[in-house]
Amino acid sequence: MSNKTNHTAVKSLNIFQILKMLWNARKLHSHEKWSREKIKKHQEKKLRKLRDYAYAHSPFYKRFHQGLENHPLHELPVLTKQELMRSWDEIVTDKSLHLKDVEQFLNNLKGFELYNNKYVAFATGGTTGVKGITIYNKEEWLNIFSQSARLTKWIGIKFSLGKKLRFAAVQSKLPWHIAGAASFIKFPFTKTLPLDVTEPMEQQINELNEFRPDNFGGFAGNIHLLALEQIKGSLKISPKTVTTTAETLKKEAREDIEKAWGFKPFEAYGSTEIGEAAAECAQHKGLHIFEDVIILEIVDNDNQPVPPGKTGSKVLATVLWNYTLPFIRYELSDHIKLSPDPCPCGRPFQLIQEIQGREENVIYLPGEGGEKVRIEPDILFDNLVLLPIDGWQVVQEKEDTITFLILVPHDNFNEKEFLKKMNDEFVKRGAKSPNLKVEYIKELRHTKLGKTITIQALKKSE
Ligand SMILES: [Zn+2]
């Protein structure tokens, strides 16, 4: 069992970790001069190593890929999040790790803490509504920082020893959320202001005005709202760069951000499970997939490859650096369209032309004064993901009516308490108390196309 005394609170990276991170980032940078052939070779080598390790240390993969050990990646079975959670204890390559203990650890987390002094763990609700728990060791965790360091280089952020750069991140401050963990870690060359998208807009504006960030980033939908505030004049900051994550950056959002601050934003794509997976370069022609650390297959509903120029129904991700909890053909429900053209910047990594759809997850409720109140998917995610249930979906039935579909509640799930909490969350943001109800389900609902929808908002008329 996990035990409080086993966990060390980590507040800043030590010098060895920083050097390792910088070394990794340099190595990643050198890959950007490679040819496509060299990238393919590198992927094959890394994948072989990962698969051999998984077959030797993960009872699940040994069984799941039995007889297919030497088959190419596209012939291997797909790993869904449901399967990941069902077989978690057998997928991890360290037998001492158990899902129940890690979940309990996350439930009690107050800041950034290591699990058993060795591991970094996060929870995710993601796009499928089934809770996911992901884990990596300390070394692997540094990879995520190195990938972020790559991103800062692409954006053109220059660090100096003299003056600390001021970063503001508007995302999540919850310690079990990957975006939240960053707010508990100190870096030597930067000063960071962590903000939470669930904080009232006015508070975000005040804190940002006071902090005056040089660089500014966070969840796309919220950054868009802040751009509108800058245009109106209530927000008065002059950052040099803006980076957006988590949700799709809509065309209007791009235009408003450019209007607000005079330059184009950088969109990044990734998730808790797969880390940073793609980002825009300064050409703004699309997002380059970090193909030296991850393989993304863009496929249709039957897991068949979708060619560039056409939008896929899902993504199968194979993470080349996580040996603790290997992800091999892990299903993500993002709709991605690859670009048929290479990028003028010359980097060999394939370009994503478009990522569709997470704005569909934003619910608008009628407000006290007749206005529309925006409910970020994260507000639902934050409140639902650690509940004692197996999964969830949220359906906005009418403008002011929301049904929570709860998958297999455990004995300690308290419906009344949950509904009250949700009501408070909505009212706190200015919504008129909506009609809320709970419905219990044995299986997640699917659309006609077989897709599971976590948050189904009413279709927006405008
Ligand atoms: Zn490029």
Side-chain angles (χ1 to χ4, degrees):
M1 284 299 280
S2 68
N3 172 328
K4 266 270 152 210
T5 55
N6 286 341
H7 315 132
T8 330
V10 176
K11 293 282 181 250
S12 51
L13 295 178
N14 67 39
I15 185 71
F16 298 106
Q17 289 169 318
I18 290 163
L19 288 175
K20 173 96 183 142
M21 183 187 98
L22 293 174
W23 172 253
N24 284 346
R26 245 181 109 99
K27 217 162 78 184
L28 289 182
H29 185 60
S30 75
H31 299 168
E32 292 168 23
K33 297 183 189 81
W34 283 357
S35 63
R36 295 269 333 139
E37 293 70 45
K38 194 153 180 192
I39 288 170
K40 290 280 164 218
K41 278 229 167 75
H42 169 85
Q43 284 185 337
E44 271 166 36
K45 205 173 104 193
K46 290 274 174 190
L47 178 62
R48 187 68 264 167
K49 212 174 133 199
L50 174 75
R51 287 173 69 179
D52 288 345
Y53 189 86
Y55 300 152
H57 299 94
S58 158
F60 172 82
Y61 277 112
K62 195 174 175 201
R63 191 177 63 239
F64 201 43
H65 291 181
Q66 197 167 33
L68 301 168
E69 292 84 353
N70 291 312
H71 283 230
L73 183 66
H74 69 263
E75 289 178 16
L76 298 177
V78 167
L79 177 68
T80 61
K81 188 179 266 184
Q82 284 95 325
E83 187 61 62
L84 171 81
M85 292 309 283
R86 205 161 31 222
S87 307
W88 203 92
D89 286 8
E90 278 198 304
I91 297 178
V92 280
T93 55
D94 176 345
K95 287 188 195 72
S96 74
L97 291 173
H98 299 286
L99 181 60
K100 268 205 151 55
D101 300 341
V102 177
E103 272 187 306
Q104 198 191 6
F105 164 77
L106 288 172
N107 270 318
N108 296 321
L109 211 54
K110 299 281 180 293
F112 183 76
E113 290 175 45
L114 292 175
Y115 179 69
N116 283 350
N117 279 326
K118 232 172 127 180
Y119 291 106
V120 181
F122 294 111
T124 160
T127 44
T128 59
V130 175
K131 171 168 59 187
I133 303 285
T134 185
I135 193 158
Y136 2 77
N137 67 29
K138 280 192 277 185
E139 286 269 304
E140 290 161 350
W141 166 236
L142 281 182
N143 278 306
I144 295 196
F145 285 113
S146 310
Q147 289 154 23
S148 305
R150 159 182 270 171
L151 189 60
T152 53
K153 202 166 173 120
W154 287 13
I155 294 170
I157 296 173
K158 291 205 170 58
F159 296 96
S160 87
L161 288 169
K163 185 177 167 279
K164 282 193 175 190
L165 283 183
R166 306 167 80 82
F167 276 88
V170 197
Q171 34 199 26
S172 172
K173 283 209 299 205
L174 294 167
W176 46 262
H177 193 297
I178 191 164
S183 42
F184 298 99
I185 297 170
K186 284 198 185 104
F187 288 95
F189 313 127
T190 61
K191 200 170 158 47
T192 310
L193 171 72
L195 290 170
D196 202 299
V197 285
T198 59
E199 283 169 25
M201 190 45 68
E202 205 185 313
Q203 193 181 330
Q204 291 184 32
I205 292 169
N206 290 342
E207 289 191 54
L208 284 166
N209 279 339
E210 194 174 320
F211 184 74
R212 291 173 288 109
D214 302 308
N215 304 284
F216 170 48
F219 297 160
N222 196 79
I223 298 278
H224 185 198
L225 293 181
L226 286 166
L228 294 174
E229 293 293 340
Q230 176 91 20
I231 294 168
K232 268 200 282 178
S234 47
L235 183 65
K236 303 177 185 71
I237 56 173
S238 32
K240 292 178 191 73
T241 66
V242 169
T243 317
T244 70
T245 55
E247 298 144 342
T248 313
L249 186 61
K250 292 268 175 197
K251 195 169 154 277
E252 314 85 77
R254 276 184 190 277
E255 288 165 3
D256 289 333
I257 290 170
E258 209 175 337
K259 198 167 148 199
W261 293 296
F263 51 78
K264 291 190 168 75
F266 287 82
E267 186 180 2
Y269 169 73
S271 79
T272 311
E273 293 101 326
I274 68 173
E276 300 272 15
E280 271 180 52
C281 70
Q283 299 284 338
H284 300 286
K285 297 280 184 212
L287 289 77
H288 285 284
I289 300 173
F290 296 173
E291 288 176 287
D292 48 350
V293 293
I294 194 162
I295 300 172
L296 297 184
E297 298 171 75
I298 314 301
V299 296
D300 62 18
N301 279 313
D302 302 318
N303 301 319
Q304 295 307 306
V306 170
K310 284 187 89 174
T311 305
S313 336
K314 44 187 178 168
V315 179
L316 305 178
T318 300
V319 178
L320 299 171
W321 53 266
N322 190 345
Y323 281 58
T324 306
L325 181 66
F327 289 99
I328 303 175
R329 301 201 92 203
Y330 181 64
E331 184 183 287
L332 298 161
S333 58
D334 296 316
H335 301 250
I336 283 183
K337 189 204 281 182
L338 291 175
S339 165
D341 306 313
C343 183
C345 77
R347 285 185 182 86
F349 304 140
Q350 203 157 19
L351 268 189
I352 292 173
Q353 190 177 326
E354 201 183 356
I355 303 171
Q356 269 179 13
R358 291 195 226 174
E359 177 68 16
E360 295 160 8
N361 292 340
V362 177
I363 285 178
Y364 287 87
L365 289 173
E368 278 297 345
E371 77 286 13
K372 280 185 180 174
V373 176
R374 183 185 161 94
I375 305 295
E376 295 284 341
D378 264 66
I379 291 162
L380 300 164
F381 169 83
D382 291 349
N383 281 288
L384 282 143
V385 76
L386 288 180
L387 285 177
I389 58 177
D390 280 0
W392 55 273
Q393 288 172 306
V394 175
V395 182
Q396 184 180 20
E397 316 267 5
K398 278 188 260 166
E399 221 190 348
D400 64 345
T401 306
I402 293 175
T403 302
F404 297 94
L405 303 175
I406 301 293
L407 183 67
V408 196
H410 306 176
D411 292 342
N412 50 342
F413 174 69
N414 185 331
E415 180 181 317
K416 217 173 133 193
E417 213 171 82
F418 165 70
L419 285 176
K420 182 178 180 312
K421 190 153 174 251
M422 288 318 302
N423 182 64
D424 292 349
E425 290 284 354
F426 298 144
V427 170
K428 203 164 82 189
R429 289 179 176 79
K432 247 196 308 197
S433 210
N435 302 315
L436 303 177
K437 43 186 186 173
V438 164
E439 213 180 299
Y440 297 100
I441 50 173
K442 289 214 170 71
E443 252 177 75
L444 289 178
R445 284 189 191 161
H446 299 275
T447 64
K448 278 185 202 120
L449 291 171
K451 191 174 141 52
T452 336
I453 293 176
T454 312
I455 301 168
Q456 193 184 327
L458 269 193
K459 280 240 174 348
K460 283 133 203 151
S461 44
E462 63 277 278

